[in-house]
Amino acid sequence: MLQKHLILIITAIFIGLAATSQVAAQQQIDRQLGAGVIVGEPTGISLKYWNNDSNAFDAGVSWSITNEYLHLHADYLMHKYELFDISKGSLPLYYGLGGRILFADDPDIGARIPVGLNYLMEEDPIGFFVEVVPTLDLLPDVEFEMGGGIGVRYYF
């Protein structure tokens, strides 16, 4: 019962962050909200909301098949476009800071530091990404983990 209430609270926070963010256009994407999938450990649904052309909020709801837990996360991301010069679209490096909650027999709460690449297509509202995510669980025990995945999002 506690897990359901926690999920509802976290979902409300995600929606509130997206609703209060300022409206701005991203360079290759006319639409600010992207939804898609991430495949890795864990695997699930990925959302991204562009706050402006170089900052975004990222959130995910996923499931770990190997460890059998529900994973929720939210991150604030910063993007650097000038590192890779490509002929079509853009390929920013991104990094950020966020948090996660694992709902399992023994729930965990931790901090995330995602680092990745996000290929944004020039003509289509689609973005592909790959990321690695060092995580420091803080509760109930302090523990370091590595995660990551690859994914795709369609921008609305």
Side-chain angles (χ1 to χ4, degrees):
M1 188 67 163
L2 175 64
Q3 289 181 351
K4 288 181 183 179
H5 286 95
L6 215 48
I7 291 170
L8 289 173
I9 291 168
I10 292 169
T11 302
I13 290 170
F14 289 155
I15 291 169
L17 285 174
T20 59
S21 298
Q22 68 188 79
V23 176
Q26 199 277 334
Q27 289 179 346
Q28 279 74 29
I29 300 172
D30 293 332
R31 300 162 184 129
Q32 293 171 265
L33 179 63
V37 296
I38 184 167
V39 177
E41 181 54 31
T43 296
I45 298 168
S46 175
L47 301 172
K48 188 170 192 173
Y49 182 83
W50 289 92
N51 191 35
N52 57 43
D53 66 348
S54 61
N55 299 306
F57 292 102
D58 161 277
V61 178
S62 48
W63 179 257
S64 172
I65 297 169
T66 58
N67 297 317
E68 297 185 356
Y69 58 75
L70 177 67
H71 169 111
L72 298 177
H73 75 261
D75 307 311
Y76 182 75
L77 304 174
M78 294 158 280
H79 297 72
K80 299 294 180 192
Y81 289 85
E82 61 276 356
L83 299 176
F84 303 102
D85 186 21
I86 60 173
S87 60
K88 285 203 172 236
S90 64
L91 185 63
L93 170 76
Y94 66 87
Y95 54 92
L97 183 61
R100 79 166 184 184
I101 298 177
L102 303 182
F103 295 96
D105 291 336
D106 296 319
D108 289 338
I109 298 174
R112 295 168 34 98
I113 304 172
V115 177
L117 293 172
N118 194 170
Y119 174 69
L120 301 167
M121 298 180 75
E122 187 173 323
E123 296 179 15
D124 297 315
I126 297 173
F128 299 91
F129 64 96
V130 59
E131 67 182 19
V132 294
V133 186
T135 303
L136 182 63
D137 287 331
L138 302 170
L139 295 171
D141 299 314
V142 176
E143 183 178 346
F144 179 79
E145 293 183 19
M146 284 294 288
I150 61 172
V152 61
R153 293 185 196 98
Y154 179 83
Y155 289 88
F156 300 92

